Structures are given as C-alpha cells and as structure tokens.
Amino acid sequence: EYLDAVRGYYAKLNIPLDRSDILVTSGAGEALEFVLATILDDGDELLVPEPFYANYNTFTFMSGGVIHPIPTSADNGYRFADRELIESQINERTRAILVTNPGNPTGLVLTHEEMRVIADVVKEHDLFLVADEVYREFIYDDEPMGTFCEMEDIKDHVIVVDSISKRFSACGARIGSIISRNREFMAEAMKLCQGRLCTATLDQAGAAAMYEHVQPSYFKEVRDEYKKRRDAVVEELNKIPGIEWIRIMYAYP
C-alpha cells in the first residue's frame, strides 16, 4: 500500500513510477546510508555543497567514502550550481554529487536552470546525482516546486531520497524511500533492504494513509504557519544591532 501511495504522490507531479522504482526505508537517514553504501567504495569522493546536513558526513564515512565540499557563500545566497565551480571539484575518485533541494541548512531552492546545470554535469561525467528532496513542499515564496525525477535524460543517474518526516511532520514514524529508475543500482540497494528485513509494517500503512487522505490544503496551511514563524524571526533579528542575515531567494533579485 505504501509503494502505491508513493507512486500516486509522484503521479501528481507528472512522474510515472513503477513499484520497482521505490524501496521503502526506515526514514531518509537509512535511505541515505543505503544509497552511499551502494555507490561508494573506499576512498571514493562525494561532492556536497557546504554547509550541509551533518549526517551526510557520517553516512559517507561509514561507506568508506570521503566528502569533497563544494564551497558556497552567504554573499550570493549559497548558490553553487555553476558548471565551472562544480567541474573544478571533480577528480578520478568522484562518484556522485549530493544536493539537498530545498537546502538544509541554507534554505536555498535551486531554480530549474540550476538543476539543469547540475544534470548536465552528472551526465557528462557519468556520476550519480543523489537528490535529498525531503523538504520539497516547504518553499515559502510561491516558487514552482521541482524534482530531479523530471529529467528523463538523466534518469539512470538520479537517486532521490524522500520521506514522510517533513512532509507530514511525522519524524518518529521513520518511513522514507529510495527512488531511482537505475535498475542495476536498485538491485544492489535491495540487498541492503533485505539484510535489514523490513521497515515497520504498521508505520508503512499509516504513511500510505497520509498520502491517500491528506488534502492539498494541509500543505498550504503548514507552509503559511512556517512562513509566519520565519517572518517573526526576521522581524526580531532586525531589532538586534550588528546582526547580519540574508533571505535566500529562489533566484537573484
């Protein structure tokens, strides 16, 4: 039921998936652990825009790999999707690029043009693109929502990590998924899922019900509430002398 619920969710994004394109995991954390264990050998490098979610480092280290940071700066809104910048970090041990979109902790949302730049780089250099898209619904300024699954020409390169944790505020349920149309990768990742045995069946049933019965208005209400909280923080920051902050915009103002 959960597999079909995930398929239904992606169908609404115009992304047709088969059940075989989805592996159920105990949250996005286990999904990331399995993905990196599958694609990295000892000494292999993973390109990740910095700053990044700290557990990326943990899961990469557990897999024998090394994170190679892509430097970013608050001065330009932490934007990194520059072909020259990314290619300057690639070497013979590079196996994949991992991006979080929308970004954690920076809040950066990639434009479709920036997503295309990244797609072209992974295609040309034959890399995997690991897209952590668990925050997909949380874009506060009416920008269009995107997913790397849309890009048919790199479907064999793309591995999406997803979860109900952020989408439905259900972190403790620990239900996530690996989504990819790369058959060889999915066959190898399945071995890790089989070794783990099974994600809790009750939680899978509950997650399926969330996908099937939660109305679109729910996401709007949650986004509106989170936006109020963000704006309240900004208002108070503006009252503190010497504090500098930047609102991450979808594209350059």
Side-chain angles (χ1 to χ4, degrees), residues 16 63 85 96 99 102 131 154 180 204 231:
S63 302
L85 172 63
V99 301
I154 60 165
S180 179
Q204 289 192 57
D231 293 344

Side-chain angles (χ1 to χ4, degrees), residues 114-165:
E114 289 173 323
M115 292 170 68
R116 187 68 255 173
V117 168
I118 297 168
D120 289 343
V121 170
V122 300
K123 184 177 179 180
E124 183 170 324
H125 293 271
D126 195 22
L127 305 175
F128 282 109
L129 172 57
V130 182
D132 182 344
E133 298 182 349
V134 300
Y135 296 99
R136 188 181 295 125
E137 273 73 25
F138 300 110
I139 304 174
Y140 304 135
D141 297 309
D142 298 321
E143 300 91 346
M145 182 173 64
T147 170
F148 280 101
C149 284
E150 300 169 358
M151 299 179 173
E152 286 290 321
D153 63 315
I154 60 165
K155 66 180 182 180
D156 286 337
H157 299 262
V158 174
I159 304 165
V160 168
V161 171
D162 211 339
S163 171
I164 68 166
S165 295

Side-chain angles (χ1 to χ4, degrees), residues 167-189:
R167 184 164 298 132
F168 300 115
S169 298
C171 301
R174 307 311 306 148
I175 298 292
S177 51
I178 299 169
I179 297 167
S180 179
R181 287 177 280 184
N182 183 308
R183 300 269 64 82
E184 182 180 5
F185 162 78
M186 291 295 273
E188 298 303 318

